Amino acid sequence: MEVVFLSRQVVEQVEKIAVPLLQSLELELVEVEYKKEGSNWFLRVFIDGISKPVDLDDCAKASEQLSLALDENDPIPGNYYLEVSSPGAERPLKKESDYQKAIGKNVHVSTYEPIDGQRKFEGILENVTPDEVVVASQVIPRNKIASARLSVVFS
């Protein structure tokens, strides 16, 4: 339980540092993870471009500046590895703006409990409201969504 609380605290503190820094680079924060793998801690920061897709140069620049800001503010006890990368083609949908940008695109949604006998839904995100999303004509209450992400369709 202590590790989960620590992870949540670190993520919140890193987000506060990262958001304005990334905005100054015309990048947006997608997600922050702080996880222990084996005996090592990893801080993973996923970014995307605001007006264009993120590239390797953007990741390198963000990593360098974020590393300096984290060293200066020191929100993380102990040693860790910093990784800055793109969320990839199957980017998670976390924030309201993520859902809004995904309207008309193919998505994959998993729910905490079955809806009409299903827990996984894939198809075009047709509509988003504060209370629900509509994927391939299936209405899914927002409070039942466990995870959602863009989904690549191979033809």
Side-chain angles (χ1 to χ4, degrees):
M1 195 63 156
E2 225 177 274
V3 170
V4 171
F5 179 72
L6 172 68
S7 294
R8 202 171 315 131
Q9 275 188 319
V10 166
V11 166
E12 289 171 4
Q13 291 175 19
V14 170
E15 286 174 346
K16 286 179 186 172
I17 294 166
V19 168
L21 184 147
L22 293 171
Q23 285 175 341
S24 74
L25 298 172
E26 295 187 32
L27 300 168
E28 74 172 312
L29 179 65
V30 174
E31 185 174 17
V32 174
E33 291 179 348
Y34 184 61
K35 291 185 176 179
K36 188 170 187 180
E37 295 179 6
S39 61
N40 297 313
W41 282 93
F42 289 85
L43 176 64
R44 294 189 176 101
V45 178
F46 298 94
I47 62 172
D48 204 355
I50 292 175
S51 58
K52 66 175 185 65
V54 69
D55 62 22
L56 190 56
D57 288 340
D58 293 326
C59 290
K61 190 182 304 178
S63 178
E64 182 181 312
Q65 291 195 21
L66 188 55
S67 180
L68 292 171
L70 291 170
D71 286 348
E72 185 177 305
N73 291 283
D74 201 22
I76 303 171
N79 297 325
Y80 61 92
Y81 293 96
L82 173 63
E83 297 176 358
V84 177
S85 64
S86 161
E90 294 195 336
R91 161 189 183 139
L93 305 178
K94 300 275 188 179
K95 301 175 282 202
E96 184 62 28
S97 61
D98 297 337
Y99 281 94
Q100 292 298 328
K101 289 179 196 173
I103 293 174
K105 296 180 181 171
N106 207 63
V107 298
H108 177 89
V109 176
S110 298
T111 58
Y112 291 113
E113 57 190 58
I115 298 170
D116 296 336
Q118 284 184 260
R119 290 186 58 195
K120 296 186 186 294
F121 303 88
E122 190 156 336
I124 300 298
L125 179 61
E126 298 168 358
N127 193 28
V128 176
T129 70
D131 299 319
E132 63 192 26
V133 300
V134 180
V135 176
S137 301
Q138 175 67 54
V139 177
I140 304 168
R142 295 280 289 262
N143 63 355
K144 295 195 177 181
I145 295 175
S147 65
R149 62 175 167 77
L150 292 177
S151 177
V152 175
V153 178
F154 296 99
S155 335

